[in-house]
């Protein structure tokens, strides 16, 4: 009872952009709304995920979306993969029309994907996507992100030099993809690069610590790239009185604040990443699929990029706000325009 | 005399765990949109059995008054290993399964050797070996992947006669093949004796070291059975640090819920199994009650807090305050 | 020795613990078919000697022969294999296991490689019966049994191993007279069956009744070996302590003081263990608690000390009703109570901590100003106590666990005297303590009473009750059955009322334990 | 009974022999060896900047491990460290959103939140007699739940106040980071408490034999309760410092401190069974762990190798000096 494979383009081609030229397109049998949609999240205890869950709720509450949804259920199961698999199994057994997931493991969901397909349920993964051709994946280009950061460094450090690469959580595909992207570009540049790799675990504290260590023993560096915890990395540079150098990093507001503040001193940044609002795109995709529209099997989201010298106060960073949220939260091509403040602030007003 | 009273007293922890589990599971299934169906039970069983294996492993060590903070990492390591080895023809698959179990045995034996012959305190010793096992797991699977013999995997995570979850049958088999002989053997008794009072056991000529060593080694085997099941359940290997840690911590919770004393010498793996199933059902309750996703972790925490505090009610019956101290 | 070939012989055995010489070239000969008593004051090396025999302790030098062949045991299991079975002074039962499990622990019967639980139970029942303790259920957990029952289990366990040499290291210290009698029958039977028995006890009357041969230890050496009955008690005691010995009990004052009672109980009841107990203790008085073990004496002391919950009835201090909810409250200045607990190793002391820390532990609140310990004051008080009680220790900063039992007991007493208590509760304080130390403790008790303390004293030893107490209350089944005063305190009266013979059924069986 | 009676003998043994714990000495020796090994890789391992940087980073773990040690001395354990750290950091930052008063009270408020978690642990362990390993696991889960709800529902401020930054990264004495001074002060206070106060004695007493301590008239439940409260407070304070260091609070910031804090305490020679251990040992353990992590990180060892070496080194060091005495 799976979808029909059809030829493109997708129904809303600006938003549902196929990953590559050979991406397949799906057309599911049209169903009558309103739909029962379930969302299976894994881990929840970081800001990115909280912002993501809030965005999901806000999106589902928008009048036009709400009209199409009969029930929107969210379950967060923690870090444990089997618990998430079971949650999805339960959703399947309970007859939801579509299941959206941020998966703890890309390869572990084979049996679930099979069952969902047999039951005719639309399964959409985003952020941590699934390694499959039988469900829909929505994501930013993680490897492209690494490439982007490396290109920035190649451009700003034209003669090659010493680079500090602060990586994420070992063993995740996100970390690997980004790392590979970085190194492919650096290698291809033909310059001589001396890269010091440390693991910052996408966490400011950890990243700051390992950066401080690296500066003390292997510094100074000519350029830096960080996958996350970038506020901490800059902080460590400041604490160690390390000169400001070009930096390719994520979209944390704190990082961007630093970039804007110290741009003149040499902290030339490009900041891009995976916005938590992809969840809204994923839900949107699920609804489109249920309505029988043509959707690509892999949806590629644009990176929300802001680079020196074009970082604008009030759109790209917010000096008065927390360091801790990810600014890139809107996907205009999909009509998803939440700002992070709106998301995190809105509920504050509700309480 | 009143033999059954003694029997009841012996099994009190296990029965309490069984009771807690049944109550929770009834609440769960009666509120489940799909109800008490074979599928719902199978889903719950597959998830629960995994933790049950790890909890059994933890039980063996806890009985000796030790603790194994590396069980979760042995689970990960053997999961990664299985995702390489448990593939191919039935013969290859069988050899793979044996190799995985052997790896678990080796991990457990290393823990045992360090704790018993190295005379290190189990908590730190296993924190350290856990790091090593995780590191090896990460070497095997730098990122998630691999595969498993899917026929075997489907068979063991599926249903027997379309009703009984095979995983439960497998759990039963492991209980019969590992736990029952162990607990009734001289070495099992030595493990209990050592946990209850190591000096007394030594003075009585009990083979303490062997008993403890076997307990640790079998714990490694049971954790690797868990690792196998994880592979069957997910078709892959993954060295996920956080998940390994949470299995370790969950196993402690399961063991306590199952009436196994962390002070050693008391409790049974059967209790720990029900403890594990009950613990898993706490997570399932999220599914049937409509909780705001942000409140879900808090809900789970509070239920856990209540569950572990249940045992404290017995305290109000204590009339002699010296009984507070063991 | 009767010309018989010794079954087992130890020659020149030495063992040191750090600076302590536990054994110094000790010798011993054991013959089949006889009971050999080993005597000596606390710390003389008796336990170390038999631990060496039993494979628990590895000797530093010396040799052991069994049947003329040289042997050495790597573990207790190895000694068991050779037929040497020991009932250790510190019980070696496993609390969380059942009585039956414990009895067969070293060599359980097996079927298909697994323990045969039916056979095990059979063995246990037989062994319990042989030890005269068939009232103990084989399925009961050892931790649920009172100390006296545990000692019986320990004896049954030893018998189940079919030993050639059976060693009892103060195995009867917690037993009641009735149990002791049963055990003695068993031991005599074993002797007639050709076993060699080694018997360690501080109770002279037991040795007199049982032993064929005696060896006295002092400071790690055997100082005398003689045929039982050839020396008077006084001679033996002098051999043990290495000096003259007389007047074990201090004289009692002529008349009891007539002040208002410092400690009084009215209709005190608790659970099913204490039943309507009323009693009073005046300043300057030593009141004994008698009766068979386990008749509520320990509970009564714990009740006064604020340990028990759900107490009914009244406790009065200086005639005023008091609600004591914890040992802390009991020891506070207004009340000034102290309890010398039953088991010094788990209740009285923190064995790994130093003598100093243990001594001041109960008086910290007095030694500290604003929570900070006044170390000079601490030192002064400790010096006083160590002097007063003549505590024998290699220093104040060694672990208290390294002291011999008698000295450990003195530390327990001293730590409470540091608070200058007005009411002193003593729970069998001389168990397993040598005569010399006992004497010191008796004198101390009387001295404290003379200085105005009210003392409530539980003992399993009738001689002590007779020698020390102004009055004795005999408990039976949780209530006071009889009060004996002055000259009425006789062994006969104590035993009779302990068995409750005065009241109803004359042939009461002592079976309250299990 | 007649020979050497009397107590004045205490003074005879030289003090340093009685005091110096071989485990602590070996731990410090291991630190030196680690540094020497590191310096083979890069000269900068012996540079003052690197060493100070290590001490600064160590002081966060040091503050947290101080609380852990207190609890371990009781024979208990505190598994609620991760979210006590996070709660302390997050709540301190959150308080700063409430005007000048909030900013002034930010640090005490954060610490207080940790104390609150500790009190729940303490009630569970002391009054309900729940094994600490499990009750602290549960409170950790509850604290996590509360933080998730709070963050999602109230989007609290999460940047550190100037005072927090100053405490963690500023300098009062030139050359010595404030964090190190704070750790030194807390450590000194701890040493004083453990060795000179009745509370400290009671802690060791309870760790050795709670029953005997209770019968000695110690309010054991109060002591246990206080120890857990202190542990919670110190964890939270560690979180406050960490937030100051990173200039912001984050959810997962405590995760990396649970196992290292236990390992540090035990590497320092404190018995996990309670009743035995000295603070100096914990200092050594903290520095050891910090250095080890740092050296492995700087050597660019891949994560897998790092974990393996970390584990092996800990086992090796414990085998060197952390073994229990042989049984006979
Ligand atoms: N494990 C040990 N560590 C340190 N000292 C010990 C140890 N065992 C025995 N000793 C010391 O050896 C000496 C002899 O002890 P032993 O137990 O043999 O005496 P004992 O005659 O059995 O005394 P008691 O009548 O009190 O049982 C004592 O001074 C004791 O302190
Ligand atoms: N593992 C040990 N470590 C240190 N000292 C020990 C150890 N085991 C025994 N001892 C000490 O050895 C001595 C002899 O111990 P044992 O228990 O046989 O006799 P005791 O202490 O005199 O007890 P009791 O008075 O009950 O007979 C005691 O001083 C005891 O504390
Ligand atoms: O994609 C990542 C997300 O899964 C994690 O939770 O937070 C960091 C992000 O980069
Ligand atoms: Mg002895
Ligand atoms: Mg003794």
């Amino acid at each position: 009872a799976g979808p029909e494979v059809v030829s493109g383009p997708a129904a809303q081609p600006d938003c549902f952009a196929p990953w590559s030229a050979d991406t397949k397109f799906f057309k599911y049998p049209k169903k009558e709304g309103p739909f029962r949609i379930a969302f299976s999240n894994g881990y929840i205890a970081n800001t990115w995920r909280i912002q993501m869950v809030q965005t999901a709720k806000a999106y589902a509450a928008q009048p036009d979306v709400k009209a199409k949804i009969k029930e929107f259920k969210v379950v967060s199961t923690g870090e444990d993969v089997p618990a998430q698999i079971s949650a999805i199994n339960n959703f399947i057994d309970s007859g939801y029309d579509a299941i959206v997931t941020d998966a703890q493991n890309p390869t572990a969901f084979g049996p679930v994907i099979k069952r969902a397909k047999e039951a005719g349920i639309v399964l959409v993964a985003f952020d941590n996507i699934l390694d499959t051709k039988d469900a829909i994946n929505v994501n930013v280009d993680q490897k492209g992100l690494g490439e982007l950061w490396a290109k920035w460094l190649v451009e700003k450090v034209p003669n090659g030099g010493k680079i500090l690469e602060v990586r994420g959580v070992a063993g995740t595909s996100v970390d690997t993809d980004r790392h590979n992207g970085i190194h492919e570009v650096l290698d291809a540049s033909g310059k001589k690069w001396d890269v010091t790799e440390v693991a910052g675990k996408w966490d400011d504290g950890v990243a700051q610590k390992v950066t401080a260590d690296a500066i003390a023993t292997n510094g100074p560096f000519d350029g830096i790239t960080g996958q996350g915890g970038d506020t901490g990395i800059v902080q460590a540079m400041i604490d160690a009185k390390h000169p400001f150098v070009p930096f390719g990093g994520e979209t944390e507001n704190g990082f961007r604040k630093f970039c804007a503040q110290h741009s003149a001193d040499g902290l030339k940044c490009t900041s891009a990443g995976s916005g938590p609002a992809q969840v809204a795109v994923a839900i949107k995709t699920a609804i489109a699929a249920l309505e029988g529209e043509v959707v690509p099997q892999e949806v590629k989201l644009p990176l929300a990029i802001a680079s020196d010298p074009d970082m604008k106060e009030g759109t790209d960073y917010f000096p008065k706000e927390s360091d801790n949220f990810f600014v890139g939260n809107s996907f205009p091509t999909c009509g998803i325009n939440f700002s992070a403040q709106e998301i995190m602030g809105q509920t504050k007003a509700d309480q | 005399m009143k033999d059954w009273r003694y029997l009841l007293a012996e099994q009190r922890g296990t029965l309490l765990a069984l009771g807690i589990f049944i109550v929770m599971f009834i609440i769960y299934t009666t509120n489940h949109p799909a109800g008490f169906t074979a599928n719902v039970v199978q889903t719950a069983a597959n998830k629960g059995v995994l933790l049950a294996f790890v909890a059994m492993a933890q039980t063996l060590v806890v009985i000796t008054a030790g603790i194994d903070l590396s069980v979760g990492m042995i689970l990960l390591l053997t999961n990664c290993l299985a995702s390489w080895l448990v593939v191919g023809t039935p013969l290859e698959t069988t050899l793979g399964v044996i190799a995985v179990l052997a790896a678990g045995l080796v991990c457990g034996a290393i823990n045992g050797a360090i704790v018993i012959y190295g005379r290190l305190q189990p908590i730190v010793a296993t924190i350290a070996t856990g790091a090593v096992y995780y590191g090896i797991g990460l070497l095997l699977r730098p990122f998630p992947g691999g595969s498993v013999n899917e026929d075997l995997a489907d068979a063991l995570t599926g249903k027997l006669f379309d009703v009984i979850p095979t995983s439960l049958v497998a759990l039963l088999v492991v209980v019969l093949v590992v736990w029952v002989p162990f607990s009734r053997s001289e070495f099992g008794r030595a493990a209990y004796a050592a946990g209850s009072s190591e000096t007394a056991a030594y003075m009585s000529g009990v083979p303490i070291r062997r008993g403890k060593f076997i307990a640790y080694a079998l714990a490694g085997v049971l954790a690797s059975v868990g690792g196998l099941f994880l592979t069957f359940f997910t078709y892959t290997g993954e060295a996920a640090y956080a998940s390994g840690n949470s299995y370790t911590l969950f196993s402690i919770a399961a063991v306590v819920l199952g009436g196994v004393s962390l002070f050693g010498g008391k409790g049974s793996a059967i209790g720990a199994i029900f403890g594990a199933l009950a613990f898993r059902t706490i997570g399932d309750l999220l599914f049937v009650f409509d909780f705001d996703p942000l409140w879900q972790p808090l809900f789970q925490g509070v239920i856990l807090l209540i569950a572990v505090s249940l045992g404290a009610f017995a305290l109000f019956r204590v009339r002699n305050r010296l009984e507070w101290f063991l | 020795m009767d010309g018989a070939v010794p079954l087992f012989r130890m020659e020149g055995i030495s063992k040191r613990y750090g600076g302590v010489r536990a054994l110094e070239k000790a010798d011993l000969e054991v013959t089949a078919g006889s009971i050999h008593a080993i005597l000596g004051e606390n710390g003389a090396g008796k336990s170390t000697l038999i631990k060496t025999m039993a494979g628990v302790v590895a000797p530093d030098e010396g040799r052991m022969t069994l049947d003329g062949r040289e042997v050495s045991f790597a573990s207790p299991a190895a000694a068991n294999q050779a037929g040497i079975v020991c009932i250790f002074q510190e019980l070696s039962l496993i609390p969380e296991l059942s009585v039956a499990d414990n009895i067969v622990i070293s060599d359980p019967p097996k079927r298909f490689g697994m323990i045969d639980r039916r056979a095990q139970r059979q063995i246990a029942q037989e062994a319990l019966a042989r030890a005269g303790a068939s009232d103990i259920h084989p399925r009961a957990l050892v931790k649920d049994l009172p100390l006296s029952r545990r000692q019986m289990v320990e004896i049954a366990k030893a018998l189940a191993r079919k030993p050639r040499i059976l060693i009892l290291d103060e195995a009867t210290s917690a037993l009641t007279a009735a149990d002791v009698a049963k055990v003695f029958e068993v031991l005599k039977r074993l002797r007639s069956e050709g076993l060699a028995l080694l018997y360690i006890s501080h109770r002279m009357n037991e040795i007199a009744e049982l032993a064929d041969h005696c060896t006295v230890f002092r400071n790690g050496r055997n100082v005398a070996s003689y045929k039982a009955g050839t020396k008077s008690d006084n001679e033996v005691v002098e051999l043990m302590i290495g000096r003259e010995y007389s007047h074990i009990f201090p004289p009692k004052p002529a008349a009891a003081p007539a002040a208002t009672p410092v400690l009084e109980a009215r209709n005190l009841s608790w659970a099913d263990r204490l039943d309507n107990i009323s009693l009073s203790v005046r300043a300057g008085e030593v009141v004994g608690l008698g009766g068979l073990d386990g008749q509520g004496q320990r509970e009564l002391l714990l009740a006064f000390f604020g340990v028990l919950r759900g107490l009914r009835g009244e406790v009065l201090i200086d005639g005023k009703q008091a609600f004591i909810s914890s040992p802390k409250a009991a020891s506070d200045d207004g009340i000034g109570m102290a309890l010398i607990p039953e088991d010094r190793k788990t209740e009285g002391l923190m064995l790994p901590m130093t003598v100093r820390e243990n001594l001041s532990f109960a008086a910290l609140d007095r030694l500290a100003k604003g929570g900070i310990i006044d170390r000079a004051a601490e030192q002064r008080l400790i010096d006083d106590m160590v002097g007063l009680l003549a505590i024998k220790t290699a220093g104040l900063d060694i672990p208290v666990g390294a002291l011999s039992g008698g000295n450990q007991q003195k530390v327990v007493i001293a730590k409470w005297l540091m608070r200058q208590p007005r009411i002193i509760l003593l729970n069998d304080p001389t168990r397993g303590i040598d005569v010399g130390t006992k004497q010191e403790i008796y004198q101390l008790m009387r001295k404290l009473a003379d200085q105005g303390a009210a003392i409530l004293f539980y003992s399993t030893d009738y001689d002590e009750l007779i020698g020390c107490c102004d009055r004795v209350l005999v408990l039976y089944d949780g209530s006071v059955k009889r009060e004996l005063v002055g000259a009425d305190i006789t062994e006969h009266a104590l035993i009779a009322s302990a068995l409750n013979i005065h009241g109803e059924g004359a042939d009461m069986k002592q079976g309250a334990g299990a | 009974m007649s020979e050497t009676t009397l107590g004045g003998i205490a003074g005879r043994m030289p003090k340093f022999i009685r005091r110096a714990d071989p485990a602590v000495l070996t731990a410090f020796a291991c630190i030196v060896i680690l540094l020497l090994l590191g310096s083979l890789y890069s000269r900068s391992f012996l540079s003052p900047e690197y060493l100070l940087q290590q001490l600064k980073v160590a002081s966060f773990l040091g503050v947290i491990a101080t609380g852990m040690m207190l609890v371990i001395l009781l024979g208990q354990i505190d598994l609620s460290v991760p979210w006590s750290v996070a709660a302390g950091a997050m709540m301190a930052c959150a308080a700063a959103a409430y005007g000048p008063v909030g900013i002034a009270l930010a640090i005490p408020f954060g610490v207080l939140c940790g104390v609150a978690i500790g009190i729940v642990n303490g009630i569970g362990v002391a009054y309900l007699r729940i094994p600490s390993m499990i009750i602290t696991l549960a409170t950790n889960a509850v604290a996590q739940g509360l933080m998730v709800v709070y963050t999602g529902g109230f989007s609290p401020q999460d940047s550190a106040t100037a005072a927090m930054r100053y405490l963690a990264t500023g300098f009062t004495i030139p050359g010595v980071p404030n964090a190190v001074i704070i750790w030194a002060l807390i450590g000194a206070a701890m040493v004083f408490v453990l060795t000179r106060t009745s509370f400290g004695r009671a802690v060791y007493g309870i760790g050795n034999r709670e029953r005997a301590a209770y019968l000695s008239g110690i309010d054991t439940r109060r002591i246990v309760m206080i120890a857990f409260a202190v542990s919670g407070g110190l964890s939270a304070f560690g979180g406050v410092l960490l937030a100051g260091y990173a200039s912001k609070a984050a959810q997962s910031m405590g995760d990396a401190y649970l196992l290292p804090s236990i390992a540090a305490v035990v590497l320092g020679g404190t018995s996990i069974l309670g009743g035995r251990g000295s603070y100096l040992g914990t200092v050594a353990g903290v520095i050891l762990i910090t250095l080890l992590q740092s050296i492995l990180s700087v050597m660019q060892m891949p994560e897998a190798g790092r974990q393996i070496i970390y584990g092996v080194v800990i086992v090796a060091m414990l085998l060197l000096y952390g073994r229990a005495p042989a049984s006979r």
Side-chain angles (χ1 to χ4, degrees), chain C residues 55-57 73-74 305 327-328 346-347 350 352-353 356 360-361 364 371 373 375 378 386 390 393 397 415-416 437 440, chain D residues 1 3-7 9-10 18 192 196-198 201-202 204-205 208-209 211-219 328:
Chain C
V56 175
V57 159
F73 304 124
F305 207 52
K328 181 174 167 51
T346 63
E347 299 182 335
M350 272 74 66
M353 287 172 78
R356 177 197 307 277
S360 50
F361 201 75
L364 288 175
I373 297 169
R375 295 201 290 181
E378 182 189 21
V386 171
T393 169
D397 292 306
K415 94 177 205 192
W416 279 108
T437 310
E440 293 172 46
Chain D
M1 211 107 309
E3 316 117 279
T4 43
T5 308
L6 244 118
I9 323 167
R18 270 191 285 122
F192 184 81
R196 296 294 182 85
T197 65
S198 37
R201 287 276 177 90
Y204 280 99
N208 274 306
R209 194 67 76 180
R211 181 189 269 259
Y214 173 74
L215 282 176
S216 302
I218 301 285
D219 191 345
R328 77 181 208 139

Side-chain angles (χ1 to χ4, degrees), chain C residues 277-290:
Chain C
I277 291 191
S278 299
L279 62 82
S280 63
V281 189
R282 276 176 285 271
E285 219 183 1
V286 179
V287 175
L289 289 177

